[in-house]
Amino acid sequence: MTEFSFACTGVRADRYAAGPTLVFRLRVTAGDNAHVHALALRCQIRIEPARRGYEPAEADGLADLFGERSRWGSTLQPVQFAQVSVMVPSFTGEIETDLVVPCTYDMDIAATRYLDALTDGEVPLLMLFSGTAFTGTGGFRVEPVPWDREAPFRMPVTAWRDMVEQHFPGCGWLRLPRDTMDALLAYRSRHALPSWEATVAALLEGADPPAHDPLRALTATTGRTDP
């Protein structure tokens, strides 16, 4: 069996991707300078929050994920970040390749909420590998990549923030149910508001709100009107 080892040497935001994307630089080493025809690699990336410290402001932002700081001894459990595949081309001994990881800014995703709460420093990641290797010099054989192959990596928080700013500069992201979106669109149309920002601002201002909850009344309206 070929002895494989892995290391992550860097990360960058993909400036030309259609959506938020991180590109990790991965070094793959085959023991005894073995020849590898191809490597079908799977990588699970998870965040290990217990492996770093947190400022008070960060702790406040993480309260909905992990609870009060006094409970963190038992609640700082790993958080799933991504699961991706990559086909590594032919090499002998060692090669570096890009591992492309599509990301999301959906704040309902635990990993996104965790990363958004961090203000500085590094994100402790653990990359877990498996897959199938096609090896051999005088022939061709198929062998698995053992499930215990892994590589720790500390990703700069700035890499995540740079990626988000490329696609959502100065903005946040909010996912809403379809009926609520229909109600918001109806409200925007009725009041001829020019943008979603103006729509939300109008709802938040409410100088003289009615006795009932305006947001509840809004979400009860599911019909859509023409602008």
Side-chain angles (χ1 to χ4, degrees), residues 1-17:
M1 296 286 290
T2 303
E3 184 73 17
F4 288 100
S5 61
F6 302 90
C8 185
T9 61
V11 63
R12 60 181 171 84
D14 188 343
R15 296 187 176 276
Y16 304 103

Side-chain angles (χ1 to χ4, degrees), residues 75-142:
T75 61
L76 284 185
Q77 299 299 317
V79 176
Q80 178 78 3
F81 178 55
Q83 189 160 328
V84 294
S85 300
V86 62
M87 182 62 73
V88 182
S90 176
F91 68 96
T92 299
E94 185 175 279
I95 191 174
E96 288 198 0
T97 189
D98 285 339
L99 184 68
V100 179
V101 179
C103 301
T104 178
Y105 198 34
D106 185 343
M107 295 302 290
D108 284 344
I109 305 299
T112 303
R113 286 154 63 195
Y114 173 86
L115 292 164
D116 187 69
L118 303 184
T119 58
D120 203 359
E122 297 173 327
V123 183
L125 301 178
L126 184 63
M127 311 176 86
L128 308 169
F129 299 97
S130 62
T132 304
F134 303 90
T135 63
T137 51
F140 186 87
R141 68 175 182 269
V142 179

